[in-house]
Amino acid sequence: MSAATTPAGALPASPGLVRRFGGDGGFRTVTALVAAGLAAILVFGGALAGGPLGLSPYLVNLVGQLAAFALLALALDLIWGFAGILSLGHGLYFAIGGYIAAMHLLKHGFAVSGVVPDFMQFMGWSEFPAFWWGLESFPYALLLVVLVSGTVAFLFGYVSFRSKVGGVYFAIITQALVYVAMLLMFRNDTGFGGNNGMTGFSVIFGFPVGSAGLTVGLTAASLAVLLTALLGLRWLMTGRYGRLVLACRDDEVRLRTLGYRTLWLKLSVWCLSAVLAAVAGMLYVPQVGIINPRLLSPELSIEIAVWVAIGGRGYLTGAVLGAIFVNALKFWLATRAPELWPFILSGLVVLVVLLLPNGFSDAGREISRLGDRRGRGRTLESLRRTLLRERGA
Amino acid sequence: MNKFSRRSFLRTSGLVAAGITGSLAMPGLIRPSLAQNGSVKLGCLFSSSGTMANIEGRLNDVVKMAAAELNAAGGVLGKTVEVIVSDPASDWPLYAQTGRQMLQQEKVAALFGCWTSVSRKSVLPVVEQDDGLLFYPLHFEGDENSKNVVYVNSPPASSVLPAVDYLMSEDGVSAKRFFLLGSDYVWPRTINKQLKGYFASKGIEPAAIREEYVPFGFSNFQTLVNQIREFADGTGGQPVVILTTVGNSIPDFFREFANQGILATDVPVLGLDALEADFEGLDTAALVGHLNCWAYLQAVEAPENDKFKADWAAYVGANNVPYRPDVVIDPMVSAYDSVKLWAMAAEKAGNFDVPEVRSAFAGIGFKDPSGYDIAMTADNNYVSRGVFIGSLNAQQSFDILWQSEGTPKPEPFSTFG
Amino acid sequence: MQKFLDRWGRLAAAVFLIAVAGFSGAARAQGTDAAALDRPGFVAGLCGGAGPMAQAIAGGLESLAAASPEDVTWMAGIVAALGARQLRCVEPGGLILTAGAATDAVTGATVSPPGSPRTPVLNLRSRGAVENLEAALTLLSSRDAPSRQRALALLSRRPDAVPPTVFARATDLAATTAERDAIAELSVIAALSSPDMPARLAAIAGLAAEPNRRTLLRLETLREDPAYGTDTAFRDTVDAAIADSSFWVKLSSVLSVAYNGISYASILFIAALGLAVIFGLMGVINLAQGEFIMLGAYTAFMVQEGVRSVAPGLIDFYLIIAVPFVFLVTALLGILVEATIVRHLYRRPLMTLLATWAVSLFLINLVRVTFGTQNLQFVTPSYVTGGFTLVGDFIVTYNRLFAIVFAAAVLALAWFVLQRTGLGLNIRTVTQNRDMAGCIGIPTRRVDRLAFGLGSGLAGLAGLALAPIYNVNPLMGTNFIIESFMVVVLGGVGTIGGTLIASLGIGQINVMIEPLYGAVAAKVIVLLLIIAFIQWRPEGLFPAPGRRK
C-alpha cells in the first residue's frame, strides 16, 4: 500500500488528539535535553575556558549553531506544520536578523576598539551611513530585528493572504522573493557588503571574538532562546490560539464561515514565525563570524523545509530534532566524506517523503500501526485524520 | 505544561547534562595530537561542487599530488603528510565553518584553499583567531596583509598593471579606451577601482572608461556584448575590454563575443581570471589573440614545467580524477608551490608550529614550474613571482606574448586605490 | 583602430622601403622585375621579433599592388602558415612545417625537419595587420568564393587598412560584377577625401548605402569639412546621407533589442513549457525540471560522441540527430521519476516540491561524479557559430536564431500533441476536471505519467537547444528554475499561450531594462513586477478554466 493512501500517524490535528495519542510525546525529553545542554554549558563553561577538561570550544560553538538552526526550523514549523503554509523563503528573515546582528557587531566593535572595519574599507566608506545610527546599542539592534522582519513579513503576508495566494503558489513566490533579495544583496551598491557580506567582527559584548568565554556565552544564549521558544510555543499552540491555527489549516473556509477572521490569524502566525527566524539569524551570525547573501540562496530556504520534513512537521520537537540531526550529520561528514553528503541528503528526503509522511517523529507510530492493522483496521478516526492530513499538506 | 513532572524533568536533565559533558570531552581524548601517529595533516578548502567546482576542484588533487611527492621523498621532518579534503560547496560561510573544523578538530598544520576573494575573506577571521596558516593560490585584489595568510600569487600592482601597460604600449594596441566588465563582488570592484586610479595617473579621461557588473554565474551576455560594440564604435582611440568576470561567466562571455563577430584585433579582451580551463568546450579559432596575465602559463619552456605537466598527466591517469591530463593552469602551479613552500619552511623551522614556520618564511624559495626563481619576501607573507601575458590560440591554450625580466617585488597595497 | 593601423602601416612601410633599397640594386643586377618581392627579407622580417615583423607585414601590404602573381601566391602561403602557426624560424630564414614534413619558406624545397625551431608569436598589432594582409592576398590570389567573401567582409569593416591601389588591382581580378561592386564600395573611404567633387558625392552615397555607427560617425566628420560651408550640393548630400544613416542605425538598435528579447524569451519558453504542462495537469511543481534540461544537454553530448564514432561525416548534424534521442531519454527518466516518487504524492503537492528537490540534488551530484564538473566539449556546427549583419549594427547570431527556431518548432509540436492527439485530449480533460475525467473512464494515472514524461521530454529538448548557447555542466539547470516558475505562474496554469506570452513579456522587459540599470537590477525588477502581479491576479494572465488548484 502506498504511503499516500494509508492512514499515517497522527498530526496534532487538535489538542485533544495530541493528548489522546501522546502527541508531542518526545517534547518533554527534547526540552529536557535542551535545558540540560544549557545547564552543562553554563556549569562547565568556566572550566571550558581554562580547558582542563579538554572540552573543545569548536564543539561548543557547533552546539550553539545547531541551536540557532533548531530555532529557525521551529519558526518554519510554526507556519508550515501548524498553519499549513509552506514558505520556501524563510532564509529571508534569517538573513534580516543576521544582517542587523552583523551591523550591530561592526558598529559595536568600532565603538569599542576604534579600529575601522575592513568592510568599510572595501565599501569605500569613511563613516557609517545614516541608517546605521544607533546600531551600536544591542537593545536597539534587537528591536530593529523584530521590527524589520515583522514589517517585511506583515507587508508580504498581508497582500498574499488577502489575495488568497496559497499552497504551491505561495511557496514559489516566497522562493522568488528570497532569490530577489539574494540578487539585491549581491550588489555592492546595495551597501551591505555585496557578495562579501560582513565579517571581521572583533568584539561581542566586550568579549574579544574567539575567546572561549564568548563561545560558551553565545552557545548558552542560543540554547536559552531555543528553550524559551520551545516552552512558549508549546504553551501557545496547546491553547485557544493554537487550536484556531490548526483549525485554519484543516478547514479555513469553515472557520471563516464561523465568523473568524482567518486573514489576521494567518498573518499573526506568519509574522511570529518570521520574527523567530530573524532572532535565529541574530544568534547564528556572531557564532559563524560572517554574514553574506548566501544565507539568502533559495537552496538554503528549501533545506530548512527539509529539516522540518525529516524531523516531523507539526511537532515542535520534530523541527528541533530534524534541524539538529541533519546539520550535525552535515558537519560530521564535511571532512570525512563530503562527496557523500548530497546523496545521503537526497536519499533521506525521498525516504521520509515516501515512507514517513510526517518525518521521523512518526517512525514509532508507523511501526506500531503496522502491527495494529491486522487487529482493528481503519477506524472512523483514522480516516478522518487521513483526510485532514491530505488537505493540510 | 501542567503535566510536566518536575522530578522526571530534573532527572532527565541531569543524565543528559552528564552525557553532553562527556561527549564534548570525548574528542579530546580519542583524538591524540598530530605528532603521535607519525603523520602531519594538511587541510584543503577547495570546492568540488557548486559554481566554482569546475575550476576550483582540481586544486584538491594538486595538493594531494604535491603531498605524495613529499612523502615519496621521505615526508617532512620525518612525518608522513596526510591531506584532508573537504567540500565547501562554493558556499562562502561554509568555507569559514570548514576551516574552523580543520584547524580546531583536525588540527591541521596548514590550510590550502579558496579561489574567490569572498571565500578568503570568510576564512580570514578563522585563521586569525586560531593563528593558523592559509596558503592562498590565486592572484587577487591586494589591499590585504594578514600574518596568517600566505599570498602565493600576485597582487594587482605586479600582475595586472604590467598587462595593462602592455595593452597601452605600441606593441600591444595603444589602448585608449577601456570597457571594464566584471562579476559584482570585491575582486572585480577593487581591481577596477585601482585600474581607474591608474588610468587617471596616465591622463585617461573618465569618459573613456565604462564599468559594468553582472551577477555571479550570469550567462546571458547578448546585451552586454551589444553595449561593447557600441562603445567600440565610438571615437577616441583603440578600445579594449578588461574582463573580471569569474567562473562560467568567462566562457559564456567569450562565446557571445565571438558570435557577434568581434575579433581580438578589433577589440581585444584582457581576461584577468581567464585560464586555459575556461576555454574547454569552446571553439577558440574565432577568439585567437585575446589576452590573459598570470604568474604561470602552460606554454612555459622550462624543465620544471615539463616535469610538472608530466606529473599531473600521470596523476590524472593513475587516480582517475575527472580533469583533463593535458591542461595545467596557474592556480594549480601556485597550489603546488604552496605545499612546497610550506614544507621548506617547516624543515627550516624544525617543527610544525605556526609561529615558527612563519618566522622561517623569509627568503625561502625555489625554481617553480614557471621557470622563475620564486621567493618569499622577508617583510610579509607574499611571494615574488614572474608575470606572463598570454595570447589565446586556436588550441584552447595561451602563447606567451610577453614575460617579465625577473620576479617583481609584490606590493600588497595599491597606490592607485 | 583603422587610423592607427593605417598610420603605423605607412610609417613601417617607409622604414621597410628604406631597408630594402639596398636589395633592390642586387635584384636589378639579376635582371628581374624591379618590383619583385624580397622573399628572404620578408621571411627574416617575420622571424625577427615584434618590430621587424610589423615592418615586414606592412611592407608586404604596400608591395601588393605591384607584386607579381607568383609573389602574391608565395606570400599568401607564408602568411597562411604564419596564421596557422606552421611557420618556424631557423637561422637563416624559415621553414613551413606541415604534418611532419618541412619545406623551406623561401625556396619551397623540402628540407629535413629541424630540431627545435622557434615559432613566431603574433602580437596584437601584427595580428591585425596579418588579418588585413591575408584578406588582401585572398582577394588577389584565391579563386575560392567563400574565402573571398570572408576577406571582403573583413576588409569592409576596416576599409582604410589596405592601400587603394590594392583595391584597384583586386577590382581587375574580380570574378563577378557583384564582387566588383563590393570592392568598389571598399575604396569609398579613399574617395571621400578625393579632390574630385562628383567622386566625393558618390563616395558619400556609397557610405550611406552601408549604414552603421562607424559610417555615420565618418559622415558626421564631413560636417567639419570646408566644403560643407561653401558647397550647397555637398551639404545637402551629407545631410541627407546622415539623416538616412541615422534612421537605419536607430532602427537597427531597436531591432537588436527586439531580437535579444525574443531570443531570451525563446530560452525561457522552452525551459518553462514542460513545467507548465506538468503543473497545469497535476498541480505539481517539478523542482527537478532544471536537471532534466541538463540531462537533455548531456544526452545530446552522448549522441554527438556516438555520431563521432559511428558516422563522423554526419557530425555537423548531431544536434538534429539528437532530437529524438534526447526527447526519449529524458521522457523515460521523467516517467521513471513519476512512477517511483511523484505518483505517491499527488495529494500532497508541497511534499512533491521537497521530493523533486531531492531528485534534482541527486541528479546534479550523480552527473557530477560520473562526468565531472567541467564544461562539456561540444562540436559547434557552422549553423550555430557566428552571425550575420542584417541591417546597420544589428547582428543576428546563429546560435540564438537556432534557439528561436527550435522554440517555435517545440511550440508547434506541443500544440499539436495537446490539441490534435488522443493523449492531448486526455491531458486537457484531466487538467479541467480530474474527477469527472476519471468517471468517464479516462485512465487519469496513466495520463499523468505520460504527461510527466512529455514535460520532462520537453525540458530535455530545452537542454539540446541551450547547448550551443550556454556552458553544459552539472549545474546548468539551476540557472533556469526560478525564472521558469515565474513564467509558468505569470502565464497562468496549463496554457501554452500563456506561457508563450509570459516568456515574451519577461524576456523583452528584461532586455530593455538591462542597458539602463544593469543585469542584476533587470532581473530584480522583473521578478518584483511578477510577484506584485501575482498578488493582483493570483491566477496569472490566463487563468485556466476549471477549479482553482
Side-chain angles (χ1 to χ4, degrees):
Chain A
M1 229 179 199
S2 78
T5 52
T6 53
L11 253 194
S14 75
L17 277 179
V18 173
R19 248 172 251 129
R20 196 174 325 150
F21 290 91
D24 252 350
F27 183 78
R28 237 170 290 171
T29 322
V30 173
T31 319
L33 213 119
V34 174
L38 178 57
I41 297 282
L42 284 178
V43 171
F44 297 105
L48 233 173
L53 282 175
L55 293 182
S56 128
Y58 171 77
L59 280 182
V60 176
N61 173 275
L62 217 56
V63 170
Q65 286 188 41
L66 291 179
F69 286 143
L71 188 61
L72 176 60
L74 213 49
L76 185 74
D77 194 24
L78 185 62
I79 190 71
W80 185 26
F82 289 88
I85 302 165
L86 175 58
S87 158
L88 289 183
H90 252 46
L92 177 62
Y93 306 103
F94 191 58
I96 288 177
Y99 268 101
I100 294 176
M103 288 159 79
H104 161 67
L105 292 179
L106 281 180
K107 199 111 197 252
H108 173 66
F110 179 66
V112 171
S113 65
V115 180
V116 178
D118 192 28
F119 165 78
M120 302 208 5
Q121 199 194 327
F122 70 69
M123 290 302 291
W125 295 346
S126 51
E127 57 185 36
F128 289 102
F131 66 91
W132 286 55
W133 178 88
L135 270 166
E136 63 275 7
S137 136
F138 177 73
Y140 175 68
L142 186 60
L143 180 74
L144 214 55
V145 167
V146 173
L147 280 183
V148 174
S149 59
T151 313
V152 172
F154 179 83
L155 290 178
F156 179 71
Y158 181 75
V159 284
S160 302
F161 296 144
R162 210 191 41 149
S163 28
K164 301 199 180 65
V165 176
V168 174
Y169 278 92
F170 188 81
I172 292 303
I173 289 181
T174 47
Q175 172 123 93
L177 197 67
V178 78
Y179 180 65
V180 164
M182 178 178 78
L183 287 178
L184 269 181
M185 294 308 256
F186 265 141
R187 283 171 64 97
N188 253 49
D189 313 356
T190 317
F192 294 94
N195 198 346
N196 264 38
M198 301 177 200
T199 181
F201 314 129
S202 51
V203 186
I204 301 174
F205 285 124
F207 293 94
V209 163
S211 65
L214 183 69
T215 311
V216 169
L218 285 172
T219 303
S222 306
L223 285 170
V225 174
L226 178 63
L227 187 64
T228 318
L230 265 173
L231 294 173
L233 287 179
R234 168 79 170 188
W235 171 78
L236 194 66
M237 283 298 125
T238 46
R240 186 182 129 80
Y241 177 76
R243 234 171 304 171
L244 277 177
V245 170
L246 292 178
C248 181
R249 176 193 70 187
D250 292 342
D251 199 334
E252 188 186 342
V253 176
R254 186 180 296 176
L255 199 62
R256 219 181 300 138
T257 320
L258 288 173
Y260 288 96
R261 302 175 69 181
T262 55
L263 168 64
W264 294 98
L265 188 64
K266 287 200 286 188
L267 205 49
S268 59
V269 193
W270 172 245
C271 290
L272 178 62
S273 166
V275 170
L276 268 181
V279 171
M282 194 171 194
L283 288 167
Y284 174 72
V285 164
Q287 303 194 47
V288 287
I290 179 171
I291 171 97
N292 77 29
R294 273 280 148 176
L295 285 190
L296 290 161
S297 72
E299 296 92 65
L300 173 77
S301 288
I302 295 182
E303 260 187 66
I304 306 170
V306 165
W307 306 339
V308 176
I310 288 180
R313 190 164 44 97
Y315 301 100
L316 295 175
T317 52
V320 171
L321 290 178
I324 290 176
F325 171 69
V326 174
N327 285 294
L329 192 60
K330 185 175 179 177
F331 285 138
W332 189 72
L333 282 174
T335 51
R336 283 169 187 81
E339 66 284 353
L340 279 184
W341 172 240
F343 294 105
I344 294 179
L345 184 62
S346 53
L348 265 179
V349 174
V350 170
L351 190 79
V352 163
V353 162
L354 291 187
L355 301 179
L356 303 169
N358 285 309
F360 283 127
S361 298
D362 262 356
R365 211 165 294 115
E366 288 282 319
I367 292 162
S368 67
R369 190 174 47 78
L370 286 177
D372 278 0
R373 196 180 294 153
R374 247 177 313 141
R376 282 176 232 155
R378 287 185 171 197
T379 60
L380 200 61
E381 181 62 23
S382 74
L383 262 178
R384 196 179 80 82
R385 273 187 273 127
T386 313
L387 280 173
L388 286 177
R389 183 172 53 81
E390 288 179 351
R391 215 174 291 156
Chain B
M1 282 299 288
N2 50 3
K3 292 207 168 176
F4 254 83
S5 141
R6 186 173 299 142
R7 190 183 298 163
S8 76
F9 180 80
L10 286 179
R11 195 176 52 219
T12 329
S13 301
L15 281 175
V16 171
I20 289 187
T21 322
S23 60
L24 286 180
M26 277 289 273
L29 300 175
I30 57 174
R31 262 181 202 285
S33 62
L34 51 95
Q36 284 170 3
N37 55 3
S39 74
V40 55
K41 290 180 182 172
L42 300 182
C44 280
L45 287 177
F46 297 110
S47 292
S48 40
S49 63
T51 49
M52 297 305 294
N54 178 26
I55 200 131
E56 191 174 323
R58 62 191 83 200
L59 301 190
N60 281 320
D61 290 297
V62 174
V63 173
K64 281 191 201 162
M65 180 179 99
E69 192 182 306
L70 290 176
N71 288 336
V76 181
L77 293 174
K79 299 261 192 298
T80 318
V81 180
E82 186 189 334
V83 177
I84 299 178
V85 170
S86 63
D87 181 13
S90 311
D91 176 356
W92 322 135
L94 200 52
Y95 279 84
Q97 180 61 33
T98 319
R100 195 177 290 126
Q101 190 164 358
M102 293 264 192
L103 287 173
Q104 298 185 351
Q105 285 303 98
E106 308 289 343
K107 308 276 184 215
V108 296
L111 285 170
F112 299 84
C114 305
W115 184 292
T116 58
S117 284
V118 191
S119 54
R120 188 192 67 252
K121 290 265 187 214
S122 28
V123 181
L124 189 63
V126 174
V127 284
E128 285 189 338
Q129 272 162 35
D130 295 323
D131 199 20
L133 266 185
L134 170 70
F135 285 80
Y136 178 61
L138 260 287
H139 70 184
F140 72 117
E141 71 277 3
D143 286 354
E144 187 181 295
N145 190 10
S146 165
K147 67 178 173 48
N148 297 99
V149 180
V150 181
Y151 305 92
V152 186
N153 222 314
S154 312
S158 45
S159 63
V160 175
L161 296 189
V164 173
D165 275 337
Y166 178 83
L167 276 176
M168 292 166 75
S169 75
E170 284 179 351
D171 267 350
V173 285
S174 305
K176 295 279 186 289
R177 298 187 302 134
F178 300 87
F179 196 105
L180 313 178
L181 174 62
S183 295
D184 195 354
Y185 78 107
V186 71
W187 176 66
R189 292 249 175 203
T190 317
I191 291 277
N192 288 343
K193 199 170 71 183
Q194 294 177 9
L195 281 177
K196 283 188 289 183
Y198 185 66
F199 292 147
S201 78
K202 295 275 172 184
I204 288 171
E205 298 290 318
I209 300 166
R210 175 98 177 260
E211 210 177 346
E212 289 290 338
Y213 294 95
V214 297
F216 233 81
F218 184 77
S219 49
N220 201 12
F221 280 99
Q222 223 177 352
T223 308
L224 274 160
V225 173
N226 266 327
Q227 284 173 268
I228 290 174
R229 274 170 48 216
E230 201 171 330
F231 178 79
D233 285 343
T235 51
Q238 172 67 37
V240 299
V241 174
I242 297 182
L243 185 74
T244 42
T245 57
V246 294
N248 278 326
S249 294
I250 297 173
D252 280 334
F253 170 79
F254 276 110
R255 183 181 290 117
E256 185 66 34
F257 202 74
N259 277 335
Q260 293 207 12
I262 318 177
L263 297 175
T265 45
D266 299 326
V267 185
V269 177
L270 172 64
L272 289 184
D273 201 41
L275 285 161
E276 286 87 344
D278 287 311
F279 295 92
E280 288 174 10
L282 270 189
D283 175 18
T284 51
L287 293 166
V288 169
H290 290 303
L291 308 171
N292 70 354
C293 69
W294 287 94
Y296 165 88
L297 288 177
Q298 197 174 350
V300 166
E301 283 176 14
E304 291 80 9
N305 189 29
D306 295 339
K307 176 178 180 302
F308 185 81
K309 288 194 285 191
D311 286 353
W312 173 249
Y315 181 88
V316 169
N319 295 282
N320 197 23
V321 293
Y323 301 107
R324 275 176 61 171
D326 55 340
V327 173
V328 172
I329 56 180
D330 173 313
M332 287 170 63
V333 170
S334 302
Y336 172 80
D337 290 350
S338 305
V339 180
K340 293 275 277 193
L341 287 172
W342 168 80
M344 291 172 88
E347 293 278 2
K348 188 176 159 194
N351 70 52
F352 300 115
D353 286 346
V354 169
E356 297 193 34
V357 171
R358 181 165 49 225
S359 53
F361 280 152
I364 60 168
F366 66 104
K367 195 172 198 126
D368 88 332
S370 70
Y372 285 101
D373 277 308
I374 66 166
M376 294 205 58
T377 58
D379 36 347
N380 52 29
N381 287 345
Y382 279 77
V383 182
S384 293
R385 304 279 300 267
V387 184
F388 294 90
I389 295 177
S391 163
L392 185 62
N393 61 32
Q395 286 75 41
Q396 301 177 343
S397 68
F398 287 86
D399 299 323
I400 297 168
L401 260 193
W402 177 90
Q403 68 183 91
S404 61
E405 286 290 323
T407 55
K409 186 174 154 42
E411 294 291 341
F413 291 94
S414 163
T415 47
F416 299 104
Chain C
M1 174 81 189
Q2 288 92 338
K3 273 190 191 141
F4 162 73
L5 274 178
D6 189 39
R7 209 179 308 133
W8 249 106
R10 278 171 217 279
L11 187 62
V15 176
F16 179 74
L17 287 178
I18 295 167
V20 298
F23 289 99
S24 57
R28 217 174 273 125
Q30 287 167 7
T32 48
D33 192 318
L37 188 73
D38 168 31
R39 294 185 182 187
F42 186 71
V43 173
L46 294 186
C47 280
M53 184 192 273
Q55 289 167 21
I57 294 165
L61 201 52
E62 285 295 323
S63 70
L64 277 189
S68 67
E70 295 77 34
D71 277 344
V72 169
T73 316
W74 174 81
M75 199 193 282
I78 296 293
V79 171
L82 177 67
R85 308 202 321 148
Q86 288 170 344
L87 187 70
R88 297 289 183 279
C89 293
V90 288
E91 279 304 322
L95 305 169
I96 294 176
L97 207 63
T98 44
T103 52
D104 188 281
V106 178
T107 61
T110 307
V111 292
S112 60
S116 58
R118 196 173 58 83
T119 311
V121 175
L122 286 172
N123 65 16
L124 272 174
R125 177 158 62 106
S126 307
R127 189 179 295 282
V130 165
E131 280 169 3
N132 300 338
L133 178 59
E134 213 172 356
L137 283 165
T138 308
L139 284 187
L140 296 187
S141 67
S142 171
R143 291 278 125 239
D144 177 39
S147 39
R148 290 180 70 85
Q149 280 296 324
R150 273 199 300 279
L152 275 172
L154 182 93
L155 289 180
S156 74
R157 284 160 53 202
R158 309 169 182 174
D160 42 8
V162 174
T165 44
V166 175
F167 288 133
R169 185 166 172 186
T171 315
D172 299 339
L173 291 170
T176 61
T177 37
E179 214 175 273
R180 196 167 296 133
D181 290 347
I183 296 171
E185 269 174 26
L186 294 183
S187 37
V188 293
I189 302 301
L192 266 189
S193 44
S194 131
D196 174 24
M197 191 45 88
R200 267 192 113 174
L201 295 182
I204 292 168
L207 267 190
E210 289 269 318
N212 60 40
R213 283 189 292 260
R214 286 179 305 276
T215 54
L216 184 59
L217 214 61
R218 227 180 257 282
L219 285 171
E220 273 164 356
T221 55
L222 289 180
R223 286 189 165 156
E224 315 294 322
D225 197 279
Y228 187 76
T230 53
D231 187 337
T232 49
F234 182 80
R235 180 199 300 207
D236 291 346
T237 317
V238 168
D239 284 348
I242 287 177
D244 189 43
S245 294
S246 34
F247 168 75
W248 286 107
V249 166
K250 277 194 197 108
L251 181 71
S252 78
S253 68
V254 170
L255 285 175
S256 276
V257 172
Y259 179 72
N260 292 353
I262 291 172
S263 90
Y264 188 44
S266 69
I267 291 166
L268 287 178
F269 176 75
I270 32 184
L273 184 60
L275 200 64
V277 170
I278 297 175
F279 189 33
L281 185 70
M282 299 177 249
V284 163
I285 282 275
N286 178 13
L287 279 179
Q289 183 79 1
E291 280 53 56
F292 284 110
I293 295 179
M294 181 262 290
L295 287 175
Y298 272 78
T299 314
F301 176 76
M302 304 292 275
V303 171
Q304 170 196 296
E305 294 304 297
V307 170
R308 197 201 297 278
S309 60
V310 176
L314 294 174
I315 190 78
D316 260 6
F317 302 99
Y318 76 91
L319 275 177
I320 313 295
I321 298 171
V323 170
F325 291 97
V326 167
F327 184 82
L328 282 179
V329 168
T330 45
L332 284 176
L333 275 169
I335 288 174
L336 185 72
V337 169
E338 203 276 350
T340 51
I341 298 173
V342 179
R343 178 168 72 91
H344 303 291
L345 305 172
Y346 280 141
R347 305 258 165 193
R348 297 183 288 155
L350 296 182
M351 279 303 184
T352 324
L353 279 179
L354 296 189
T356 50
W357 177 78
V359 170
S360 101
L361 188 67
F362 176 77
L363 289 177
I364 289 175
N365 284 286
L366 189 69
V367 172
R368 181 169 69 87
V369 295
T370 43
F371 284 85
T373 48
Q374 74 282 8
N375 295 326
L376 291 187
Q377 294 262 21
F378 274 96
V379 172
T380 38
S382 55
Y383 53 87
V384 287
T385 359
F388 64 94
T389 309
L390 195 64
V391 57
D393 304 292
F394 171 34
I395 293 180
V396 175
T397 42
Y398 289 120
N399 60 349
R400 309 265 170 182
L401 193 62
F402 177 76
I404 295 173
V405 171
F406 199 87
V410 167
L411 169 65
L413 175 83
W415 184 85
F416 177 80
V417 168
L418 288 179
Q419 301 292 330
R420 288 283 179 273
T421 63
L423 173 66
L425 184 64
N426 282 347
I427 290 179
R428 281 181 292 139
T429 316
V430 178
T431 307
Q432 277 184 20
N433 193 330
R434 172 175 296 270
D435 295 337
M436 192 56 77
C439 287
I440 60 171
I442 293 174
T444 55
R445 281 296 160 92
R446 223 184 101 229
V447 171
D448 282 346
R449 189 155 307 165
L450 290 176
F452 205 92
L454 175 66
S456 310
L458 288 174
L461 290 183
L464 173 79
L466 291 176
I469 298 183
Y470 294 138
N471 295 306
V472 175
N473 57 45
L475 281 175
M476 74 177 286
T478 52
N479 297 330
F480 302 101
I481 200 74
I482 289 192
E483 264 113 341
S484 322
F485 286 150
M486 297 328 266
V487 168
V488 172
V489 172
L490 178 65
V493 167
T495 64
I496 296 187
T499 310
L500 181 66
I501 304 282
S503 37
L504 280 174
I506 293 178
Q508 206 61 56
I509 293 175
N510 216 313
V511 166
M512 290 197 311
I513 299 176
E514 212 181 292
L516 301 178
Y517 303 108
V520 192
K523 271 194 168 186
V524 169
I525 293 172
V526 167
L527 285 174
L528 285 178
L529 281 177
I530 299 172
I531 293 175
F533 184 85
I534 298 299
Q535 309 291 358
W536 175 52
R537 289 189 68 169
E539 311 239 338
L541 285 168
F542 301 97
R547 73 186 171 90
R548 174 147 168 213
K549 292 275 179 329

